[in-house]
Amino acid sequence: MAYNSIESMDVLVNELSKLPGVGKKTAQRYAYFIISNDKSYAESLSNAIKEAKENIHECPRCGNFTDTEECAICSRTDREPIVCVVKEPKDVMAIDRINNFKGTYHVLHGVINPIEGKGPNDINLASLLRRVNEEHIKEVIVATNPDVEGEATAIYISNLLKPLGVTVTRIAQGISIGSELEFADAMTLSKAIDSRRPM
Amino acid sequence: MAYNSIESMDVLVNELSKLPGVGKKTAQRYAYFIISNDKSYAESLSNAIKEAKENIHECPRCGNFTDTEECAICSRTDREPIVCVVKEPKDVMAIDRINNFKGTYHVLHGVINPIEGKGPNDINLASLLRRVNEEHIKEVIVATNPDVEGEATAIYISNLLKPLGVTVTRIAQGISIGSELEFADAMTLSKAIDSRRPM
């Protein structure tokens, strides 16, 4: 290996292998592709990274990523006074795909996680409280992940907001559409039965 | 989706999804990671891409990638007069890992492939011929892939070089070490039996 090391290649492989789920082999594959391709690709990729990081910031209202002053969703004039609270900006994208939600979002940029030393003050909660007061929000849907930290955060938010007279709801947990009962884990199955609805 | 589109994010996702094996979902995951991370990562990744592409060129002797005038392997003074011919620069890395090969390499940057309109003049063959003449090469090991195009290219190289009095060899084809006979395909098994060696 020593005889074939190319410093700027090693640097590139090292940077690429920091991407989520990318090991050294995959990083090398990407690096060889970038080097082998014509110069315009390396340039456009390099610029796209720099420009995205420079242009994109958090929306001052909801915390979602945006490249405009206020994010496109918060700027809608026909939005309903419902806020969907999520952990990360990519969760906004996931929910926004379904198209029948006309409210706004609120991105926490994390969840309460005592093990990692993250308390309620370390996530984007103060501005949620302010929004509920100022924007005449009728309902807050807590859409954090259905794991321990997500649940704890949901309960914390519920306790925080209920005294303000706003309805706080939690996204339903149960069997995924198209999945089979036989493969569902016990926790999910138990939640699905607890949350059963009349037909 | 329309309400949540961020132009510089879309550009970044589009560029990232050109990487080999990267679909839109993975590109989005990478993009969110780049945006969420602190500014220094976006900068160092962006610069690493630009610098690697700017600094790395093909070695004028062997065609391998290098960031020096002549590649590190060709610059070795203790190299043996054996040339290992490979399809791509990443094949050099694969063989160089095994550490007991002290010769040099010759990167074809492709193989003969009539379907893609690639003939012998479209790959790095002229300089191989020149090297065999000038560098007193004793043996040329053809290490192209064991597929139709790789085999055809190997035969072409063999016919081209044999009149010059150089020994041309082909890497052995057979059962992979650690694999099981039962799972080997018929072609490989047939090659392994044809190429059997006395013990």
Side-chain angles (χ1 to χ4, degrees):
Chain A
M1 278 297 271
Y3 277 106
N4 189 33
S5 94
I6 308 170
E7 205 197 320
S8 35
M9 182 67 117
D10 295 346
V11 171
L12 177 57
V13 169
N14 184 37
E15 291 299 330
L16 286 168
S17 62
K18 290 176 189 165
L19 290 171
V22 174
K24 208 189 160 195
K25 280 256 174 189
T26 307
Q28 279 172 344
R29 201 165 156 225
Y30 292 169
Y32 272 109
F33 179 84
I34 291 166
I35 303 300
S36 306
N37 230 291
D38 54 47
K39 196 163 178 168
S40 69
Y41 178 59
E43 254 171 31
S44 58
L45 177 59
S46 167
N47 290 339
I49 292 167
K50 203 168 271 178
E51 270 163 35
K53 186 64 190 172
E54 273 166 13
N55 294 342
I56 297 173
H57 55 264
E58 290 172 18
C59 170
R61 189 192 297 263
C62 73
N64 189 16
F65 286 144
T66 179
D67 57 355
T68 48
E69 167 86 32
E70 193 165 68
C71 84
I73 299 170
C74 286
S75 310
R76 285 176 70 167
T77 48
D78 63 338
R79 63 178 197 267
E80 291 171 4
I82 302 175
V83 173
C84 180
V85 178
V86 294
K87 182 185 175 195
E88 289 170 284
K90 58 185 164 197
D91 299 329
V92 172
M93 200 175 58
I95 299 178
D96 209 45
R97 256 201 309 263
I98 59 176
N99 262 330
N100 59 9
F101 177 70
K102 296 260 183 287
T104 57
Y105 296 88
H106 195 83
V107 181
L108 298 176
H109 290 281
V111 281
I112 297 171
N113 189 341
I115 294 166
E116 288 179 9
K118 264 198 164 176
N121 295 330
D122 300 312
I123 58 177
N124 194 16
L125 270 178
S127 61
L128 176 62
L129 211 59
R130 200 173 54 237
R131 284 185 70 188
V132 169
N133 277 321
E134 289 172 6
E135 293 179 30
H136 309 290
I137 302 298
K138 284 201 178 122
E139 182 181 350
V140 171
I141 306 171
V142 186
T144 50
N145 292 327
D147 51 20
V148 177
E149 294 81 16
E151 284 299 325
T153 307
I155 292 164
Y156 186 90
I157 291 173
S158 167
N159 292 338
L160 186 75
L161 298 183
K162 271 186 179 159
L164 304 176
V166 65
T167 308
V168 182
T169 55
R170 181 86 174 101
I171 47 164
Q173 291 165 31
I175 305 292
S176 301
I177 309 298
S179 72
E180 293 183 48
L181 272 193
E182 135 181 51
F183 300 118
D185 61 292
M187 283 283 279
T188 301
L189 220 46
S190 154
K191 275 273 187 188
I193 289 173
D194 285 351
S195 314
R196 66 190 179 280
R197 293 169 44 167
M199 293 179 62
Chain B
M1 279 295 270
Y3 278 107
N4 189 34
S5 95
I6 308 169
E7 206 198 319
S8 35
M9 183 66 121
D10 294 345
V11 171
L12 177 57
V13 168
N14 185 38
E15 290 300 329
L16 286 168
S17 62
K18 290 176 188 164
L19 290 170
V22 175
K24 209 189 159 194
K25 279 258 175 187
T26 307
Q28 279 172 343
R29 201 166 155 225
Y30 293 169
Y32 274 109
F33 179 84
I34 292 166
I35 303 302
S36 305
N37 228 291
D38 55 47
K39 197 163 179 168
S40 69
Y41 178 60
E43 255 171 31
S44 58
L45 177 60
S46 169
N47 290 339
I49 292 167
K50 203 169 271 179
E51 271 162 33
K53 186 64 190 170
E54 273 166 14
N55 294 342
I56 296 173
H57 55 266
E58 290 172 18
C59 170
R61 188 191 298 263
C62 73
N64 189 16
F65 285 144
T66 179
D67 57 356
T68 48
E69 168 87 31
E70 193 166 67
C71 85
I73 299 170
C74 286
S75 310
R76 284 177 71 168
T77 48
D78 63 339
R79 64 177 194 267
E80 289 171 6
I82 302 175
V83 173
C84 179
V85 178
V86 294
K87 182 185 174 194
E88 291 171 283
K90 58 185 162 197
D91 299 328
V92 173
M93 200 175 58
I95 299 177
D96 208 45
R97 256 200 308 261
I98 59 177
N99 263 330
N100 59 7
F101 176 70
K102 296 261 184 286
T104 57
Y105 296 88
H106 195 84
V107 182
L108 297 176
H109 290 283
V111 280
I112 297 171
N113 188 343
I115 294 166
E116 289 180 7
K118 266 199 164 174
N121 295 327
D122 300 314
I123 57 176
N124 194 17
L125 270 179
S127 60
L128 176 62
L129 211 58
R130 198 174 53 237
R131 284 184 69 187
V132 169
N133 277 320
E134 289 173 5
E135 293 179 29
H136 310 288
I137 303 298
K138 284 201 179 124
E139 182 180 350
V140 171
I141 306 170
V142 185
T144 50
N145 292 327
D147 51 19
V148 177
E149 295 81 18
E151 284 299 325
T153 308
I155 292 164
Y156 186 90
I157 291 174
S158 168
N159 292 337
L160 186 76
L161 298 183
K162 270 188 182 158
L164 304 176
V166 64
T167 307
V168 182
T169 55
R170 181 87 176 100
I171 47 163
Q173 291 165 31
I175 305 292
S176 300
I177 309 298
S179 72
E180 292 182 48
L181 272 194
E182 134 180 54
F183 301 120
D185 61 292
M187 284 283 280
T188 301
L189 219 46
S190 156
K191 275 274 187 187
I193 288 173
D194 284 351
S195 314
R196 66 189 179 280
R197 293 169 47 167
M199 293 178 63

